[in-house]
């Protein structure tokens, strides 16, 4: 039997109906649908599904983000067109099975014993031999031999001019045709299971039961019933977040326009969440000890849920999906960076926010994340390397610090650098900048620094500002130096002290000139004096942003006021003066804090080297202060996936049939054998044998040679 790519032809008066049925039941239509499903699956794999729309805007841009959204590419597997294709594939494949199954079943009973002798001579595998036994005896012997080898045999006698001839028709490997039915049935079962366990039932309830997605906020208990699905919902797959020590019984189904709430017939209490980590900082094991309380019977059942080891109750499976922060309490210390701000402490809960106000400036502090473990790669970090502060290329300085805090590309040397806090500062216009600050300092390139990260959008990597620590391993020394830089009186005192220490006694005119240069350099660095940057005006607005201060202000001043031939020498002198005045400014700030002066040693030089770069970078820090994590109370939460999947067993059955079908079609060879025995003389006969197979392989050649030897007694 050969399988046709044509569809089922029915007799009907309507040509359109007949052609539609033929198309739906044709193999070419099924293959086309499978191709489209494969392409859609690739799209669903490449494009992250069910992400916030803003993430897609950042990735593809506003235009293409809207185009892809209109095609439901952000939720491919629940898109109406994908479900429709699955439904068509079920219909098409079912019709293919209905069209070919009767032929296959009928073919099981057919031995094709009526084949003519002349036809046997046209087969590639054929042989002839004279036998020293009668045709009937030879037929019985050959038939018994084939039966013993697992062949199914049928004998047919025919009248010939020379007497009674016998046809031996045998076949084996008929299970190959079962593979066709099994494989196609598997496709139908898998698609039906996918439709049952997919979003089809939920969509049907939104279409016919008046359910709609919820887009508001507030408590779950206050959400109206039109946004809730009944606990008797036959199929769903939702997420359930449970904080340690709390109970939850309402799961959330993400929808393109909001969420639907799925009520469960039981509650889940998280007694304890357990997480273990690899040396890389990746989770090795996370598990949840839970108590399930049935609402109908009041029964309580303890269970442990791990990855790939779900718990089950009343036909609903509870899978360990991930974990999250359950509302940890954090205490933050506000540290002023680029504006005079009074330090203060503030407490909050991860997921909540606090309002900050300083006169007309209002900000909202959003506590977005707490990580208690941060494993970073410190391979290739040179512990003795320093930074040349005379280099005034701010772009290189900033770009060298982009990305993660360790910035290495060599083999891994992993180290846990402790907790970190992530928060957002949102202004009155609703614009937010995200910050990521480590709680503890770390050693990077020979300097011990705090890392303060920031990024403007979630698609960007964090850029880190490095703050050097003082002799007490804190950033207080740097903060005092930054505040002193904004104080004109302290700057003036530092300039005088630098001039006195740098000029010999008896040369007041040189001291005056040095004080003027030092005052100008420190004022430029502090942003107290304009750098005279030339900013072209286009349509009434400048094309370049103003230079606020730092090394870039000094560089701009040199570019605008010093000839290029003398610029390198002038920059060396000016930076040397700047370093000296900043050191004296540091000593003045310590004196005001009743601290002893610092000695001129390698540790002090290392601090000043990093401090000059960090002071310069603070002028580009978008917030007036940074928030350091001082203390926290960690609360874990477990994220479960709860699923009622009636199609799961159907899919398993389909997978089993698919394995059986593919094995049968690939590894089971159907063979048919005919032996025509014509009487030639008394107690002798002439045998003509032919073998056919659905695949031409070397095994068929060897098998035919063996059959010739066994049946016709022909030497191999």
């Amino acid at each position: 039997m050969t399988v046709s790519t044509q569809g089922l032809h029915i007799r009907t008066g309507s040509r359109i109906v007949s052609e539609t049925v033929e198309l739906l039941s044709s193999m070419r239509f099924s293959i086309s649908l499978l191709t489209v499903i494969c392409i859609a699956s690739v799209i669903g794999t490449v494009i992250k599904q069910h992400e916030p729309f803003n993430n897609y805007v950042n990735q593809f841009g506003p235009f293409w983000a809207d185009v892809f959204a209109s095609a439901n590419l952000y939720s491919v597997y629940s898109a109406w067109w994908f479900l429709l294709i699955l439904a068509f594939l079920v219909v098409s494949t079912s019709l293919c099975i209905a069209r070919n199954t009767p032929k296959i079943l009928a073919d099981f009973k057919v031995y094709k014993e009526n084949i003519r002798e002349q036809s046997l001579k046209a087969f590639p595998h054929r042989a002839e031999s004279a036998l020293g036994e009668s045709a009937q005896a030879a037929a019985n012997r050959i038939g018994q031999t084939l039966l013993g080898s697992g062949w199914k045999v049928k004998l047919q006698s025919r009248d010939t001019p020379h007497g009674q001839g016998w046809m031996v028709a045998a076949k084996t490997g008929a299970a190959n045709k079962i593979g066709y039915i099994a494989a196609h049935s598997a496709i139908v079962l898998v698609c039906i299971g996918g439709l049952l366990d997919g979003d089809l039932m939920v969509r049907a309830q939104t279409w016919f039961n008046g359910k709609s997605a919820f887009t508001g906020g507030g408590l779950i208990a206050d959400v109206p019933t039109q946004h809730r699905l009944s606990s008797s919902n036959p199929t769903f797959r939702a997420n359930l977040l449970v904080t340690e020590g709390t109970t939850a019984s309402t799961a959330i189904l993400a929808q393109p326009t909001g969420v639907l709430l799925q009520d469960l017939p039981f509650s889940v209490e998280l007694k304890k969440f357990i997480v273990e980590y690899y040396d890389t900082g990746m989770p090795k094991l996370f598990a949840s000890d839970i108590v399930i309380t049935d609402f109908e019977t009041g029964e309580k059942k303890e269970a442990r849920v791990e990855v790939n080891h779900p718990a089950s109750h009343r036909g609903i499976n509870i899978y360990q999906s991930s974990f999250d922060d359950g509302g940890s309490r954090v205490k933050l210390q506000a540290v002023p960076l680029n504006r005079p701000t009074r330090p203060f402490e503030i407490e909050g809960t991860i997921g909540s926010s606090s309002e900050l106000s300083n006169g007309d400036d209002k900000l909202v502090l959003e506590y977005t994340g707490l990580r208690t473990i941060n494993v970073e790669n410190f391979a290739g970090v040179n512990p003795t390397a320093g930074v040349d502060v005379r280099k005034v290329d701010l772009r290189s300085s900033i770009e060298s610090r982009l990305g993660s805090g360790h910035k290495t590309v060599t083999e891994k040397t992993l180290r846990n650098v402790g907790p970190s806090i992530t928060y957002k500062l949102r202004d009155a216009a609703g614009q937010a900048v995200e910050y990521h600050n480590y709680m503890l300092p770390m050693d990077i390139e020979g300097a011990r620094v705090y890392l303060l990260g920031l990024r403007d959008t979630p698609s960007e990597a964090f850029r880190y500002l490095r703050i050097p620590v003082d002799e007490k391993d804190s950033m207080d020394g740097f903060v005092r130096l930054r505040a002193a830089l904004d104080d004109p009186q302290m700057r003036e005192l530092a300039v005088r002290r630098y001039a006195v220490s740098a000029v010999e006694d008896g040369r007041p005119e040189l001291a005056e000139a040095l004080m003027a240069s030092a005052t100008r350099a420190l004022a430029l660095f502090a942003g107290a004096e304009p750098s005279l940057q030339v900013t072209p005006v286009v349509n009434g607005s400048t094309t370049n942003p103003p230079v606020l201060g730092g090394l870039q202000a000094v560089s701009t001043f040199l570019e605008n006021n010093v000839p290029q031939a003398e610029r390198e020498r002038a920059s060396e002198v000016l930076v040397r003066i700047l370093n000296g005045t900043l050191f004296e400014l540091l000593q003045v700030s310590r004196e005001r804090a009743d601290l002893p002066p610092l000695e001129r040693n390698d540790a002090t030089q290392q601090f000043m080297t990093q401090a000059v770069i960090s002071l310069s970078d603070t002028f580009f820090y978008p917030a007036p202060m940074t928030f350091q994590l001082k203390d926290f109370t960690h609360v874990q939460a477990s994220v479960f996936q709860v699923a009622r999947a009636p199609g799961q067993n159907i899919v398993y059955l389909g997978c089993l049939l698919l394995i059986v079908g593919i094995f049968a079609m690939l590894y089971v060879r159907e063979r048919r054998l005919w032996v025509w025995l014509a009487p030639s003389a008394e107690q002798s006969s002439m045998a003509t044998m032919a073998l056919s197979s659905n695949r031409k392989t070397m095994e068929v050649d060897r098998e035919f040679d063996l059959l010739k030897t066994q049946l016709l007694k022909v030497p191999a």
Side-chain angles (χ1 to χ4, degrees):
M1 188 207 77
T2 58
V3 178
S4 172
T5 60
Q6 298 298 317
L8 182 66
H9 294 277
I10 62 173
R11 295 180 180 180
T12 177
S14 174
R15 180 181 176 183
I16 296 178
V17 173
S18 177
E19 291 181 351
T20 301
V21 172
E22 192 278 331
L23 176 64
L24 288 176
S25 60
S26 64
M27 187 179 295
R28 64 183 187 278
F29 185 69
S30 299
I31 294 175
S32 300
L33 292 178
L34 279 173
T35 303
V36 175
I37 289 177
C38 291
I39 295 174
S41 300
V42 170
I43 294 174
T45 303
V46 173
I47 300 178
K48 291 184 178 181
Q49 302 291 287
H50 302 289
E51 290 281 310
F53 184 72
N54 289 338
N55 292 2
Y56 299 117
V57 173
N58 294 332
Q59 183 177 2
F60 303 115
F63 175 77
W64 288 111
D66 289 335
V67 172
F68 294 160
S70 62
N72 296 115
L73 297 187
Y74 307 141
S75 54
V76 169
Y77 304 111
S78 59
W80 65 268
W81 52 266
F82 187 83
L83 298 177
L84 184 62
I85 292 174
L86 283 182
F88 270 114
L89 184 60
V90 169
V91 173
S92 178
T93 310
S94 299
L95 290 174
C96 286
I97 296 173
R99 176 170 55 89
N100 291 298
T101 297
K103 301 177 185 178
I104 293 174
L105 296 178
D107 199 53
F108 284 150
K109 303 177 182 180
V110 175
Y111 288 82
K112 299 183 179 179
E113 69 276 11
N114 295 320
I115 191 170
R116 295 182 304 169
E117 178 184 1
Q118 294 300 321
S119 299
L120 297 181
K121 297 180 179 180
F123 282 79
H125 293 90
R126 63 187 182 276
E128 295 180 347
S129 178
L131 302 179
E133 55 187 331
S134 65
Q136 183 175 2
N140 290 330
R141 176 183 61 81
I142 292 174
Q144 290 298 325
T145 303
L146 290 173
L147 286 173
S149 300
W151 291 70
K152 292 183 178 181
V153 181
K154 186 174 182 179
L155 302 180
Q156 182 192 55
S157 63
R158 299 180 186 176
D159 293 331
T160 67
H162 302 288
Q164 190 177 38
W166 288 84
M167 173 64 76
V168 180
K171 64 179 181 178
T172 188
N176 174 269
K177 293 185 174 64
I178 296 294
Y180 174 87
I181 300 176
H184 284 70
S185 300
I187 295 175
V188 174
L189 292 176
V190 170
C191 290
I192 291 176
L195 288 172
L196 289 177
D197 292 349
D199 204 31
L200 185 62
M201 298 300 296
V202 174
R203 285 180 173 271
Q205 295 186 62
T206 59
W207 293 336
F208 305 114
N209 290 352
K211 302 296 182 180
S212 60
F214 180 68
T215 57
L219 299 176
I220 290 180
D222 298 333
V223 177
T225 56
Q226 65 264 29
H227 308 303
R228 293 177 175 271
L229 302 178
S230 169
S231 59
S232 60
N233 186 11
T235 174
F236 60 84
R237 191 176 297 272
N239 291 324
L240 180 70
L241 187 143
V242 188
T243 304
E244 279 184 329
T246 65
T247 301
S249 61
T250 304
I252 296 176
L253 285 83
Q255 299 294 302
T257 57
V259 296
L260 285 171
L261 302 186
Q262 174 64 58
D263 292 327
L264 303 176
F266 54 82
S267 64
V268 177
E269 179 185 1
L270 179 60
K271 302 294 291 185
K272 185 179 181 181
F273 180 78
I274 304 161
V275 59
E276 298 177 3
Y277 295 91
Y278 290 105
D279 294 339
T280 60
M282 296 297 293
K284 178 172 62 176
L285 165 72
F286 47 94
S288 302
D289 291 332
I290 63 173
V291 176
I292 302 173
T293 303
D294 192 285
F295 291 147
E296 184 176 336
T297 63
E299 174 191 3
K300 292 182 179 291
K301 181 174 69 174
E302 294 185 355
R304 167 169 282 203
V305 181
E306 299 181 16
V307 177
N308 298 327
H309 293 85
S312 181
H313 185 70
R314 295 186 64 175
I316 299 176
N317 293 325
I318 305 173
Y319 301 91
Q320 182 71 61
S321 177
S322 63
F323 59 93
D324 204 346
D325 192 279
S328 299
R329 295 286 302 175
V330 294
K331 179 187 291 186
L332 305 182
Q333 173 74 40
V335 180
L337 276 187
N338 55 19
R339 297 181 200 172
T341 305
R342 185 175 61 185
F344 62 91
E345 289 187 354
I346 189 170
E347 295 185 10
T349 303
I350 299 298
S352 65
S353 62
S354 301
E355 292 187 1
L356 307 176
S357 177
N358 183 15
D360 295 333
D361 296 332
K362 293 184 179 180
L363 295 173
V364 176
L365 172 62
E366 301 176 359
Y367 312 92
T368 57
L370 171 69
R371 293 186 62 181
T372 59
I373 293 178
N374 290 275
V375 177
E376 300 287 356
N377 179 17
F378 285 84
V381 176
N382 186 355
T384 61
V387 179
D388 185 4
V389 300
R390 295 172 298 176
K391 185 179 177 71
V392 294
D393 185 1
L394 184 63
R395 174 177 296 180
S396 299
S397 176
I398 292 178
E399 288 180 351
S400 67
R401 290 159 176 79
L402 293 178
S404 74
H406 51 272
K407 193 70 175 180
T408 61
V409 293
T410 57
E411 64 180 42
K412 293 182 178 180
T413 300
L414 303 174
R415 188 165 74 240
N416 180 17
V417 296
S420 65
I421 182 71
T422 305
Y423 63 89
K424 290 182 179 181
L425 283 177
R426 192 176 301 275
D427 59 21
Q431 300 296 319
V433 178
E434 188 176 12
Y435 299 86
H436 178 224
N437 296 344
Y438 289 91
M439 183 179 185
L440 304 175
M442 60 189 75
D443 296 315
I444 299 179
E445 296 180 354
R448 190 161 176 80
V449 296
Y450 282 91
L451 289 180
L452 311 179
L454 65 94
R455 63 182 179 186
D456 298 319
T457 63
S459 61
E460 298 178 357
F462 281 104
R463 309 183 299 276
Y464 286 90
L465 173 65
R466 303 180 183 185
I467 303 297
V469 301
D470 56 18
E471 72 278 8
K472 296 181 180 180
D473 212 34
S474 72
M475 64 170 65
D476 293 342
F478 178 83
V479 173
R480 287 193 298 267
L481 177 59
R482 184 64 181 84
L485 188 63
D486 288 331
D487 191 329
Q489 295 181 353
M490 297 180 72
R491 291 201 305 269
E492 182 181 355
L493 180 58
V495 168
R496 287 203 304 268
R497 290 187 178 183
Y498 170 72
V500 170
S501 63
V503 178
E504 299 177 358
D505 294 338
R507 303 185 66 179
E509 69 285 350
L510 184 58
E512 271 311 310
L514 184 59
M515 284 184 60
S517 299
T519 300
R520 169 63 64 86
L522 196 56
L524 287 170
F525 189 83
E529 181 173 334
S531 57
L532 302 178
Q533 181 185 23
V534 179
T535 54
V537 177
V538 178
N539 295 330
S541 62
T542 60
T543 59
N544 296 319
V547 179
L548 302 176
L551 294 176
Q552 187 173 1
V554 177
S555 176
T556 303
F557 173 80
L558 292 173
E559 291 176 359
N560 293 333
N561 296 275
V562 178
Q564 186 173 1
E566 303 177 9
R567 195 172 297 164
E568 182 176 356
R569 182 173 178 275
S571 65
E572 292 180 359
V573 174
L574 194 58
V575 170
R576 190 180 304 114
I577 293 174
L578 178 62
N579 289 339
T581 54
L582 286 174
F583 177 76
E584 294 297 336
L585 187 63
L586 174 64
Q587 300 287 42
V588 171
S589 67
R590 293 180 62 85
E591 181 181 313
R592 296 288 178 90
D594 297 327
L595 295 174
L598 289 177
E599 298 180 1
R600 293 180 179 270
N601 52 28
D602 292 341
T604 302
Q605 178 61 35
Q606 187 180 69
F607 175 85
M608 289 303 303
T609 296
Q610 182 61 50
V612 171
I613 298 294
S614 302
L615 286 171
S616 178
D617 290 349
T618 58
F619 289 96
F620 298 89
Y621 200 77
M625 81 286 287
T626 187
F627 288 92
Q628 282 297 103
L629 182 63
K630 303 298 292 184
D631 194 10
F632 61 88
T633 302
H634 193 211
V635 179
Q636 292 274 26
S638 190
V639 180
F640 301 105
Q641 185 180 86
V642 290
R644 177 179 279 154
Q648 176 177 295
N649 294 331
I650 298 177
V651 172
Y652 288 159
L653 177 60
C655 293
L656 178 61
L657 287 178
L658 186 62
I659 294 173
V660 171
I662 291 177
F663 181 86
M665 289 190 293
L666 294 181
Y667 297 102
V668 177
R669 292 179 294 110
E670 182 187 18
R671 288 98 69 205
R672 289 181 179 270
L673 180 71
W674 296 271
V675 181
W676 168 244
L677 300 166
S680 59
E682 186 177 353
Q683 300 301 318
S684 65
S685 59
M686 188 68 185
T688 302
M689 186 177 74
L691 176 71
S692 72
S693 176
N694 61 334
R695 285 196 299 274
K696 295 180 180 180
T697 61
M698 296 179 63
E699 287 80 2
V700 177
D701 297 336
R702 288 194 290 265
E703 184 179 25
F704 185 70
D705 292 338
L706 180 62
L707 288 172
K708 285 193 302 183
T709 303
Q710 291 178 340
L711 304 180
L712 305 185
K713 300 179 181 180
V714 176

